[in-house]
């Protein structure tokens, strides 16, 4: 891997949430600047306020393009977007203005990476209700990234300590998620999980599939999905030389992977994998999006409106996300060279 520091563009997140604070706090960290070149997209007034309330010894270097960036500890290189009316702005409130603003930052970040001005993206949290209030036609980051890069079905991977978790379904009700699970979907995701793990340097990865029902169905005693859907999908992937195990009861599979028996787990629905990751280490869980033409990493927590603007939010997850971006960007750049 190259020793050249990658440029990681950081859209500021929802201005009314904790995004601006955790970005500022993270960029006080010397390690960040030793491993990468962070470039922030956001609103200068909100970011200046975040600096004020956190007491961070930082200055803002407002620039037009990445060519004007300094990338020095103590100065935040910021591409300013004038999309916040300070007279109506409030921290901690659902706001169409802030939903639209967070969308604008993300879209600009994507453009910068696609234009070759930056290498990857690291995202703080945005708020789904504010996106909806702002009439943004996308429910989350992944939907925006998919649309603006013409990528079909990007795949999410969580990383926390030694545990890696993929998600077969994402933002859907539990009932709808179960309806979405098919033999072909299980097979397709296992093949893609294998490719994603190899991309980041894991040769011959061992992948476990979590069970859906208690005790992984116990041969139909508690449900048939394991026998009728999961196992056929697993067998189909094995024919493609994917080293896959399961389905394994969900109450033990994540623990086994954390302790080295498997390189990753395929979680079947949102909360199944989220609970495992956050119970392992809530603050250090980061999200990595696979399948895009560049790397995207993210914190794995929300906008925390209840504490926004109060200098309470921890920046640990933001720091971990940026560090993961610095670690994995060279792998992704090599793939798309």
């Amino acid at each position: 891997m190259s020793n050249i520091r990658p440029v990681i563009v950081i859209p500021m997140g929802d201005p009314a949430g904790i995004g601006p604070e955790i970005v500022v706090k993270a960029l006080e960290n010397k390690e960040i600047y030793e491993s990468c070149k962070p470039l922030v997209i956001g609103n200068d007034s909100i970011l200046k306020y975040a600096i004020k309330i956190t007491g961070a010894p930082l200055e803002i270097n407002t620039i037009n393009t990445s060519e004007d960036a300094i990338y020095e500890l103590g100065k935040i290189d910021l591409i300013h977007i004038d999309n916040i009316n300070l007279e109506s702005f409030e921290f901690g409130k659902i706001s169409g203005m802030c939903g639209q603003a967070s969308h604008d930052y993300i879209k600009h970040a994507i453009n910068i990476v696609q234009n070759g001005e930056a290498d990857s993206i690291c995202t703080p949290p945005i708020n789904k209700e504010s996106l909806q209030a702002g009439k943004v036609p996308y429910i989350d980051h992944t939907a925006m990234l998919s649309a603006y890069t013409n990528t079909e079905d990007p795949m999410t991977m969580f990383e926390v300590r030694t545990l890696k978790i993929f998600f077969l379904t994402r933002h859907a009700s539990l009932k709808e998620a179960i309806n979405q699970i098919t033999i072909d979907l299980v097979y397709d995701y296992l093949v893609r999980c294998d490719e994603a793990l190899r991309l980041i340097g894991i040769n011959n990865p061992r992948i476990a599939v979590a069970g859906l029902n208690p005790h992984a169905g116990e041969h139909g005693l508690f449900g048939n999905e394991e026998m009728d859907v999961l196992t056929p999908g697993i067998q189909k992937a094995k024919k493609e030389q994917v080293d896959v195990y399961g389905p394994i009861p969900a109450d033990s599979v994540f623990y086994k992977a954390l302790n080295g028996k498997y390189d990753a787990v395929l979680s079947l629905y949102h909360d199944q994998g989220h609970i495992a990751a956050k119970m392992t280490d809530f603050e250090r869980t980061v999200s990595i999006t696979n399948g895009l033409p560049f790397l995207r990493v993210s914190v794995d927590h929300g906008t925390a409106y209840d504490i926004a603007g109060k200098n309470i939010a921890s920046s640990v997850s933001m720091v971990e996300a940026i560090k993961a971006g610095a670690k994995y960007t060279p792998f992704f750049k090599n793939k798309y060279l």
Side-chain angles (χ1 to χ4, degrees):
M1 295 295 103
S2 171
N3 291 322
I4 297 173
R5 291 184 297 160
V7 177
I8 299 180
V9 59
I10 305 170
M12 191 177 72
D14 187 318
I18 62 172
E21 293 170 66
I22 64 173
V23 168
V24 165
K25 289 180 179 181
L27 295 185
E28 289 185 78
N29 192 309
K30 184 181 178 182
E31 271 188 279
I32 297 298
Y33 284 85
E34 290 175 343
S35 62
C36 69
K37 298 176 180 180
L39 173 63
V40 179
I41 312 293
N43 181 274
D44 61 358
S45 295
I46 302 299
L47 211 62
K48 285 175 183 176
Y49 187 75
I51 290 173
K52 180 180 178 181
I53 63 175
T54 59
L58 302 172
E59 297 177 1
I60 293 178
N61 177 39
T62 303
I63 58 178
N64 293 316
T65 70
S66 62
E67 293 180 357
D68 302 318
I70 299 171
Y71 302 124
E72 291 180 359
L73 181 65
K75 296 184 184 295
I76 296 179
D77 294 298
L78 171 71
I79 295 180
H80 167 66
I81 298 181
D82 187 12
N83 54 7
I84 297 296
N85 179 354
L86 295 177
E87 292 182 2
S88 61
F89 172 79
E90 287 185 76
F91 277 109
K93 301 290 184 181
I94 294 169
S95 161
M97 174 180 68
C98 290
Q100 181 63 52
S102 61
H103 163 269
D104 294 345
Y105 306 145
I106 295 159
K107 186 174 183 182
H108 198 75
I110 293 169
N111 289 339
I112 285 175
V113 176
Q114 290 182 319
N115 291 339
E117 295 180 53
D119 300 304
S120 56
I121 295 176
C122 181
T123 55
I126 57 177
N127 187 280
K128 295 176 180 62
E129 290 184 77
S130 288
L131 291 175
Q132 187 176 42
K135 296 181 169 52
V136 175
Y138 307 108
I139 193 171
D140 56 18
H141 279 120
T142 307
M144 293 182 213
L145 289 157
S146 177
Y148 292 130
T149 63
N150 294 315
T151 301
E152 185 178 349
D153 193 22
M155 188 170 61
T156 299
M157 183 187 84
F158 278 8
E159 180 175 87
V160 54
R161 298 185 188 171
T162 58
L163 178 61
K164 293 176 175 61
I165 303 172
F166 293 93
F167 293 84
L168 190 64
T169 64
R170 297 189 302 111
H171 291 130
S173 71
L174 182 55
K175 182 178 180 179
E176 176 58 28
I178 293 170
N179 289 336
Q180 289 177 11
I181 298 170
T182 64
I183 294 171
D184 286 343
L185 186 67
V186 172
Y187 159 74
D188 177 62
Y189 264 62
L190 285 171
V191 171
R192 293 171 64 193
C193 290
D194 182 76
E195 292 172 350
L197 293 167
R198 291 176 186 275
L199 173 61
I200 60 173
I202 300 175
N203 296 320
N204 304 313
R206 300 157 299 161
I207 304 167
V209 176
L212 177 67
N213 296 298
H215 306 286
E218 200 139 328
H219 304 290
L221 186 62
F222 303 123
N224 298 321
E225 286 85 359
E226 282 78 8
M227 295 188 301
D228 295 345
V229 180
L230 299 181
T231 297
I234 289 168
Q235 293 301 323
K236 191 174 179 181
K238 284 184 175 181
K239 292 179 181 178
E240 298 295 328
Q241 307 306 311
V242 178
D243 191 11
V244 55
Y245 303 83
I248 298 168
D251 62 0
S252 61
V253 66
F254 298 100
Y255 175 81
K256 290 176 180 179
L258 179 64
N259 286 278
K261 188 167 185 177
Y262 311 110
D263 295 301
V265 178
L266 179 59
S267 168
L268 303 183
Y269 57 91
H270 182 279
D271 282 9
Q272 187 181 57
H274 275 248
I275 292 169
K278 292 177 180 180
M279 286 297 293
T280 299
D281 194 327
F282 185 92
E283 290 193 326
R284 286 178 169 79
T285 299
V286 299
S287 174
I288 299 169
T289 307
N290 292 279
L292 300 170
F294 50 79
L295 172 66
R296 178 256 179 162
V297 293
S298 181
V299 299
D300 177 41
H301 59 70
T303 46
Y305 278 164
D306 57 324
I307 61 171
K310 299 177 181 178
N311 193 27
I312 297 173
S314 169
S315 63
V316 170
S317 186
M318 191 73 216
V319 170
E320 291 298 313
I322 297 171
K323 287 166 66 175
K327 177 173 67 172
Y328 289 131
T329 292
F331 291 97
F332 280 72
K333 283 184 69 65
N334 283 357
K335 177 182 178 181
Y336 293 108
L337 285 176

